[in-house]
Amino acid sequence: MKRSLKRQVRRRLPVRKTRRSPVPAGSPAAVTTSAVALEEKRAAGFRLGFDYGYSWGRSNSVLIQAPPQVTNVWDIRVLFVMSGKGVPYSPIDQAVYEALQANARECIAVSPFGPILELVDQMRPELVLVLEGMELPVQVVDALRMRGVRTAVWFTDDPYYVDVTEKIAVHYDDVFTLELNCVPFYQSIGCPRVHYLPLGANPGVFRPQPVETTYRRDVSFIGSAYWNRVSFVSRILPALESCNSMISGWWWERLPAFTRLGPRIQSGVWLTPEETAKFYYGSRIVLNVHRAYDDESYNCNVRKIPALSVNPRTFEIAASGAFQMTDERSDLLNYYKPGEEVVTFASPEDCMEKIRHYLNHEDERREIALRGLRRTLADHTYHKRIQSLLSSVFADETP
């Protein structure tokens, strides 16, 4: 009974809560706490600045040591017919035109809506090269061939628009496609000379460069919100929300978590190549997610020709000196070494795991980015691509 009574008494006793007295503002303790917090911020800022500065120095050394672009100028005149489609094709138009100017004795660029036949009659070019070709009437191409002019087209959106390009391709002497899987397709419909030629990078635009803090991110993705990308981003939200991330491009308002990402996402925005290059280099990780070949909402690919080859963004990210994580495509092995010059992921879960890993391994991330930059400058510029194109067209001749 006595023991039970003691327990009841103990239960009824009030619990005394001790409160920590607030540190008065201006007191020595408050000043010390503020100084410590300021010093921690200063140290974190110094580490971040050192990492960016060191990375820029290493990247710049790669630019300085890169071998010069060797040019064997072909003694030919080239009329270059641009895509005529504006953004996002205009930067590719410009890059191809500059590379042609460097590799041919004379090159003139013209819109597909311009006086092409009149220019041909005046210029008498050995080659008319058409980029993308959807805006140029095939009757003009036929008229060029009737004049004895060599014609070539470079398709930049295969295999996503083959229902359209198959009607164009048969009118040209030479067909170039950036999709390896489309070579046998064009051959099967009667094109006599088909060549595989991916796009590349313009190092005059996509290059390492010092950038302001407004361009610095932990993770970034720049591109349109095709449905497969919407699904992918929805599944890696935890990784994006846990760091300083950025998504930019058309149609991202269709993402179910659009409002949840808040300022991390910009929809309806198409960044210029110059702005894109800054975000690439300012990001610790740049994601590259290819569009799906079987998306019936946007594609014109009723045959469902699978896509094996990489998009031009692959080369542009690497040329910017950025660390790239990309989904797997079999043709990537012909251009970069996964794990050494670029990192691949097999699923959203694999992507999130690797994001966490590489955000915590600065040295490893930096070395992969530098190796990717070296490889791109050596092998994957538009200068190199145009040399390959001219060599394929004029295979029996020498520059």
Side-chain angles (χ1 to χ4, degrees):
M1 289 290 293
K2 290 182 180 180
R3 188 173 297 173
S4 175
L5 182 61
K6 286 181 180 179
R7 287 177 181 168
Q8 292 178 24
V9 171
R10 283 197 198 104
R11 288 177 187 149
R12 293 171 185 169
L13 288 175
V15 179
R16 293 188 64 186
K17 296 182 179 179
T18 58
R19 293 183 179 180
R20 186 174 296 175
S21 300
V23 178
S27 68
V31 172
T32 301
T33 302
S34 177
V36 170
L38 182 62
E39 184 58 34
E40 289 177 349
K41 290 181 179 179
R42 184 181 290 114
F46 176 82
R47 288 193 300 271
L48 182 62
F50 178 85
D51 286 342
Y52 276 108
Y54 184 67
S55 294
W56 158 239
R58 294 287 305 278
S59 299
N60 195 43
S61 69
V62 172
L63 295 179
I64 294 172
Q65 297 169 17
Q69 298 279 4
V70 178
T71 301
N72 296 318
V73 179
W74 290 76
D75 187 21
I76 57 174
R77 295 174 296 266
V78 179
L79 181 64
F80 173 50
V81 182
M82 299 179 290
S83 67
K85 300 184 79 170
V87 175
Y89 296 88
S90 50
I92 303 175
D93 286 327
Q94 185 64 30
V96 172
Y97 177 50
E98 291 174 359
L100 283 168
Q101 285 184 308
N103 285 280
R105 175 167 58 86
E106 183 181 352
C107 178
I108 295 177
V110 61
S111 161
F113 314 108
I116 294 172
L117 295 178
E118 292 83 344
L119 281 172
V120 165
D121 291 337
Q122 297 170 13
M123 184 183 179
R124 309 304 275 172
E126 282 75 22
L127 173 66
V128 173
L129 173 63
V130 180
L131 187 71
E132 206 255 351
M134 294 186 188
E135 299 296 333
L136 181 65
V138 293
Q139 293 83 358
V140 175
V141 182
D142 294 339
L144 292 172
R145 296 180 70 182
M146 289 290 291
R147 285 167 163 78
V149 179
R150 189 72 169 268
T151 60
V153 63
W154 193 358
F155 291 130
T156 61
D157 278 311
D158 285 339
Y160 311 111
Y161 295 103
V162 291
D163 301 346
V164 178
T165 56
E166 68 172 329
K167 300 177 179 64
I168 300 171
V170 292
H171 293 266
Y172 287 85
D173 296 302
D174 290 79
V175 173
F176 291 85
T177 173
L178 54 59
E179 172 51 53
L180 186 61
N181 230 5
C182 281
V183 172
F185 167 71
Y186 288 124
Q187 291 172 334
S188 70
I189 62 174
C191 299
R193 292 167 55 88
V194 185
H195 319 270
Y196 168 52
L197 187 67
L199 296 179
N202 179 2
V205 175
F206 293 95
R207 67 186 189 281
Q209 56 191 299
V211 297
E212 298 86 350
T213 55
T214 52
Y215 294 102
R216 295 179 184 176
R217 298 290 188 277
D218 291 328
V219 180
S220 69
F221 174 77
I222 299 174
S224 299
Y226 295 110
W227 288 115
N228 69 301
R229 292 173 176 171
V230 170
S231 175
F232 182 86
V233 168
S234 296
R235 294 174 64 182
I236 65 167
L237 280 177
L240 297 179
E241 290 180 309
S242 65
C243 66
N244 180 18
S245 59
M246 189 269 293
I247 297 175
S248 180
W250 289 330
W251 313 320
W252 281 104
E253 65 276 1
R254 65 178 51 160
L255 182 73
F258 177 72
T259 56
R260 179 173 154 188
L261 285 175
R264 290 185 174 91
I265 191 165
Q266 305 173 36
S267 186
V269 175
W270 189 265
L271 300 172
T272 66
E274 291 75 15
E275 291 280 294
T276 300
K278 289 180 180 180
F279 275 114
Y280 282 166
Y281 190 66
S283 299
R284 299 166 74 190
I285 296 175
V286 180
L287 298 179
N288 182 10
V289 183
H290 290 79
R291 61 188 289 186
Y293 71 88
D294 55 356
D295 185 345
E296 296 181 357
S297 302
Y298 297 97
N299 296 344
C300 297
N301 182 15
V302 294
R303 294 172 181 81
K304 298 293 190 294
I305 298 174
L308 305 178
S309 301
V310 300
N311 57 22
R313 185 178 287 110
T314 305
F315 306 112
E316 293 168 351
I317 295 171
S320 300
F323 172 82
Q324 176 175 188
M325 284 178 48
T326 180
D327 53 347
E328 297 175 344
R329 282 203 168 176
S330 58
D331 197 28
L332 177 69
L333 298 173
N334 293 318
Y335 299 97
Y336 295 102
K337 295 179 181 178
E340 295 184 28
E341 299 166 331
V342 66
V343 169
T344 61
F345 50 83
S347 67
E349 293 71 27
D350 184 34
C351 179
M352 286 196 293
E353 181 179 341
K354 288 177 178 176
I355 286 175
R356 297 186 186 102
H357 173 82
Y358 285 106
L359 285 180
N360 291 307
H361 292 80
E362 175 73 26
D363 292 341
E364 188 178 353
R365 191 178 68 248
R366 181 189 301 118
E367 293 307 315
I368 292 173
L370 290 171
R371 287 192 288 266
L373 173 61
R374 290 192 192 96
R375 181 70 180 275
T376 306
L377 294 177
D379 299 331
H380 304 316
T381 64
Y382 277 102
H383 189 89
K384 289 281 187 179
R385 299 292 190 253
I386 290 301
Q387 287 180 336
S388 297
L389 185 149
L390 294 177
S391 295
S392 297
V393 171
F394 302 105
D396 299 329
E397 304 175 30
T398 55

